[in-house]
């Protein structure tokens, strides 16, 4: 028996104070469970009310009035009990507006988004199981090993592109073992590697164009197309990615000229690696190249299928769709990614048994963000059934009334910053916030797509540094860089990005 085990078994208390338990911020699921109970309790205090709606279901400004909620305590308790179920497949009765699992009407729950998350999880897992993406990035890094600035720019650009189209974030944790030694061998420091990885992928997620876990979920909750607002987000992605890459390269060059200016410092042996030759990774096989081509085609087709081309090209939101427009949404996209997962597995010759197991494992790995969406939607069901959603909306309406469209967009960005800290899950944050924030755009005369862009910018900006996200905390730990030193490194960039974001939001609101 070990010493610790014997001590636990002894009736005598251990001598001296035990080790202090470090506080660990609860998961998004736990946070949303607490939020669910809190909102349910607050619904007893907040008076029920309603807006008159137009033909499109949007609230009409100035029509808010108090109503009789008509719910007994047992009804409210039942709503709390069934919140996760209603969040998945609750049906809204069109005459009463009440949501329940056994009613007749339109789907209010997030079953479509839930299945979509599992489908893209299966696809991404199959792609990584082939080793094509990992090896492709490794080959790119090795090929550019003699051109440090170009290497940093190329890796960050690839990570940013993956972030903007599919939410590439946690997957970056697997690249520290490659990037850190490579940066040290080029004469840079560990902070350069950390910035290359975290900021490269992070700025892509911040400027998500069609990222299903951010833009997709938020657009669904805001009742707009995934392609709405893509032009603004694409320009933001280009500019903010360029600024972020330039920031990291500027720091890297400074450290290379004067190692004493390194914010992370150097561990024993780090400086000796500057003259070491890094081993070349294996070449891409024909199968790897074929997989990368399929992945590129899948995401390209996804973008094509969701963009409202007539509106994007004419600038008229009511323009008649072109004949080639698909207008796909989550059901079609979920089916596409399931088919694509099978296609990648066939191209990579994974075999039926391995492919089936990988698809199943991929869906299982993504059940957590899918459940976060369900729980967040369950909160909105409680607010809907207790008829307090419009009351909350009315109170916020008073705050933004009279503000310009640009000021409104900036306010939405600022309001979402603390929410992003509490709920680092983009999917859960979007599902929880959009039902309240999106209708505000109707009052302010701003496109709901601007609200989605403001929301995802706040979420992405916070996730570049907050300690509640595994991408940041896990990244600095893997790179062996102090979190406090990382904050010193990143805060000037955060300030610049915040100013640029607000500028883009003001411009986007003015153009709608």
């Amino acid at each position: 028996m070990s010493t610790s085990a014997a001590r636990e078994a002894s009736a005598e208390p251990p001598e001296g104070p035990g080790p202090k338990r470090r506080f660990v911020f609860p998961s998004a699921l736990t946070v949303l469970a607490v939020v669910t109970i809190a909102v349910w309790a607050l619904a007893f205090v907040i008076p029920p009310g309603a807006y008159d709606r137009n033909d499109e279901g949007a609230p009409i400004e100035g029509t808010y009035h108090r109503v009789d909620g008509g719910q007994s305590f047992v009804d409210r308790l039942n709503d709390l009990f069934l919140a996760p179920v209603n969040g998945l497949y609750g049906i809204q009765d069109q005459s009463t507006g009440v949501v329940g699992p056994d009613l007749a009407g339109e789907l209010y729950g997030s079953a479509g988004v839930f299945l979509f998350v599992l489908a893209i999880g299966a696809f991404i897992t199959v792609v990584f199981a082939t080793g094509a993406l990992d090896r492709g990035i490794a080959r790119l890094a090795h090929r550019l090993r003699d051109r440090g600035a170009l290497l940093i720019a190329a890796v960050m650009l690839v990570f940013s592109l993956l972030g903007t189209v599919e939410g590439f974030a946690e997957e970056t944790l697997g690249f520290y073992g490659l990037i850190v030694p490579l940066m040290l061998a080029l004469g840079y420091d560990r902070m350069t590697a950390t910035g290359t990885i975290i900021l490269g992928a992070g700025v892509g997620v911040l400027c998500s164009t069609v990222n299903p876990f951010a833009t997709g979920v938020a657009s669904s909750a805001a009742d707009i197309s995934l392609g709405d607002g893509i032009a603004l987000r694409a320009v933001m992605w280009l500019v903010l990615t360029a600024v972020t890459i330039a920031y990291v390269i500027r720091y890297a060059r400074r450290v290379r000229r004067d190692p004493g200016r390194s914010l992370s410092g150097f561990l024993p042996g780090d400086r000796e690696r500057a003259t070491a030759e890094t081993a070349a990774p294996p070449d891409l096989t024909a199968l790897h190249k074929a997989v990368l081509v399929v992945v590129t085609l899948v995401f390209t087709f996804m973008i094509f299928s969701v963009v409202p081309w007539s509106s994007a090209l004419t600038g008229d939101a009511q323009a008649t769709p072109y004949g080639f427009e698909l207008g796909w949404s989550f059901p079609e996209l979920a089916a596409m990614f399931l088919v694509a997962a099978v296609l990648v597995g066939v191209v990579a010759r994974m075999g039926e048994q391995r492919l089936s197991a990988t698809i199943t494992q991929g869906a299982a790995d993504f059940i957590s963000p899918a459940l976060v969406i369900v729980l967040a939607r369950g909160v909105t069901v409680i607010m809907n059934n207790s008829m307090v959603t419009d009351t909350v909306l009315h109170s916020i309406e008073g705050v933004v009334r009279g503000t310009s469209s640009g000021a409104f967009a900036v306010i939405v960005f600022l309001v979402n910053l603390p929410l992003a800290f509490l709920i680092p899950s983009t999917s859960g944050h979007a599902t929880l916030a959009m039902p309240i924030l999106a209708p505000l755009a109707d009052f302010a005369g701003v496109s709901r797509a601007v609200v989605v862009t403001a929301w995802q910018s706040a979420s992405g900006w916070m996730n570049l540094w907050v300690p509640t996200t595994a991408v940041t905390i896990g990244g600095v730990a893997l790179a062996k860089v102090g979190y406090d030193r990382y904050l010193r490194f990143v805060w000037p960039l955060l300030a610049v990005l915040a100013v640029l974001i607000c500028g883009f939001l003001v411009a986007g609101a003015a153009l709608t």
Side-chain angles (χ1 to χ4, degrees):
M1 179 180 291
S2 67
T3 304
S4 59
R7 181 173 293 176
E8 290 176 3
S10 173
E12 296 291 328
E15 295 181 4
K20 293 182 179 180
R21 297 185 61 184
R22 185 172 61 88
F23 173 76
V24 178
F25 198 86
S27 68
L29 287 172
T30 303
V31 170
L32 283 171
V34 173
V35 169
T36 301
I37 297 173
V39 169
W40 178 79
L42 286 173
F44 285 92
V45 180
I46 301 173
Y51 281 97
D52 294 337
R53 252 65 179 178
N54 59 22
D55 295 337
E56 298 178 351
I60 301 174
E61 188 175 5
T63 63
Y64 174 81
H65 55 281
R66 296 287 177 84
V67 296
D68 180 13
Q71 276 195 315
S72 66
F73 179 79
V74 174
D75 293 333
R76 291 174 181 266
L77 198 61
N78 188 61
D79 280 345
L80 176 63
F81 180 65
L82 292 177
V85 177
N86 283 325
L88 180 61
Y89 63 88
I91 306 297
Q92 186 172 39
D93 185 282
Q94 295 304 295
S95 59
T96 64
V98 175
V99 177
D102 53 358
L103 301 177
E106 294 186 0
L107 178 66
Y108 189 90
S110 54
V113 183
F114 179 85
L115 180 59
F116 171 67
V117 170
L118 298 186
I120 196 171
F123 172 74
I124 291 173
T125 303
V126 170
V127 170
F128 272 99
T130 66
L133 192 58
D134 300 52
R135 187 173 295 187
I137 295 174
R139 289 296 306 172
L140 173 66
H142 184 76
R143 181 167 296 182
L144 298 175
R145 66 191 182 281
D146 296 326
R147 289 170 282 180
L150 185 58
L151 169 63
I152 293 171
V155 172
M156 291 185 71
L157 183 61
V158 170
F159 281 2
S160 181
L161 180 61
L162 292 170
T164 193
V165 299
E166 62 99 346
F168 190 79
E170 285 84 357
E171 296 86 349
T172 61
L173 296 176
F175 288 95
Y176 282 88
L178 166 70
I179 302 298
V180 171
L182 189 57
M183 292 299 173
L184 292 174
L186 292 173
Y188 302 125
D189 64 351
R190 293 174 179 269
M191 190 66 76
T192 302
T194 304
T196 298
I197 299 173
I198 294 180
L199 299 179
V203 75
V205 175
L206 187 159
C207 303
S208 295
T209 48
V210 290
N211 172 9
F213 305 105
T215 314
V217 175
S219 297
S220 174
D223 292 326
I224 61 173
S225 165
L226 176 60
D228 287 343
I230 193 172
L232 173 64
R233 295 192 294 268
V235 175
M236 282 184 64
W237 176 73
L238 289 172
V239 174
L240 269 62
T241 298
V243 169
T244 304
I245 290 174
Y247 182 83
V248 175
I249 290 177
R250 177 176 176 271
Y251 170 83
R253 285 175 170 169
R254 186 180 67 192
V255 170
R256 196 173 190 179
R257 288 194 304 267
D258 182 4
R261 301 184 68 181
S262 169
L263 292 177
S264 62
F266 295 91
L267 297 177
D270 281 356
R271 298 297 297 148
E272 288 74 11
R273 295 193 189 187
T275 57
E277 179 67 25
T278 56
D283 291 332
L284 285 171
T285 66
L287 288 179
H288 288 145
K289 294 177 182 178
V291 168
L292 292 176
V293 169
V294 171
V295 171
T296 302
L297 291 176
V298 167
F299 280 108
T300 301
F301 184 76
M302 180 186 76
I303 295 172
F304 169 79
S305 69
V306 301
V307 172
W309 292 103
S310 59
S311 300
L313 296 178
T314 64
D316 181 8
Q318 305 301 322
T320 302
Y322 296 137
F324 62 82
E325 289 186 35
L326 296 179
W328 278 13
S329 188
F330 290 102
E332 295 86 358
L333 292 176
M336 181 193 74
F337 278 112
L338 286 174
V339 172
V342 175
L343 179 60
V344 169
V346 171
V347 169
R349 301 175 186 173
M350 295 180 69
E352 185 273 333
Q353 291 288 333
R354 185 186 173 204
L355 177 58
S356 298
T358 305
I359 290 176
T360 303
Q361 183 61 50
D365 289 343
F366 279 72
I367 194 68
S368 179
L371 286 177
V372 164
I373 294 171
V374 170
L375 284 182
R377 191 61 170 172
V379 175
T380 66
V381 171
I382 291 175
M383 296 178 65
N384 175 84
N385 287 359
S386 58
M387 303 187 73
V388 300
T389 302
D390 283 3
T391 301
V392 175
L393 181 59
H394 177 63
S395 65
I396 302 177
E397 177 196 351
V399 176
V400 301
R401 184 187 291 117
T403 61
S404 65
S405 58
F408 167 77
V410 173
I411 289 173
V412 173
F413 170 73
L414 296 175
V415 164
N416 276 286
L417 294 178
L419 286 177
F421 179 86
L422 293 173
I423 309 175
S425 165
T426 54
S427 304
H429 182 185
T431 309
L432 189 65
M434 277 301 122
I436 296 294
L437 297 177
L440 285 174
D442 304 330
F443 297 151
V446 175
S447 167
R448 291 190 174 196
V450 174
V451 174
V452 171
T453 302
W455 161 81
Q456 71 176 38
S457 298
S459 177
W461 187 86
M462 290 293 285
N463 282 336
L464 290 176
W465 66 273
V466 292
T468 53
T469 170
V471 176
T472 299
I473 290 299
V476 297
L478 288 170
K480 298 180 180 179
V481 170
Y483 177 65
D484 59 328
R485 294 174 180 265
Y486 173 74
L487 291 181
R488 286 178 57 193
F489 162 73
V490 80
W491 79 260
L493 176 65
L494 292 174
V496 172
L497 292 180
V499 172
L500 291 174
I501 289 168
C502 291
F504 274 110
L505 293 177
V506 171
L511 295 174
T512 59

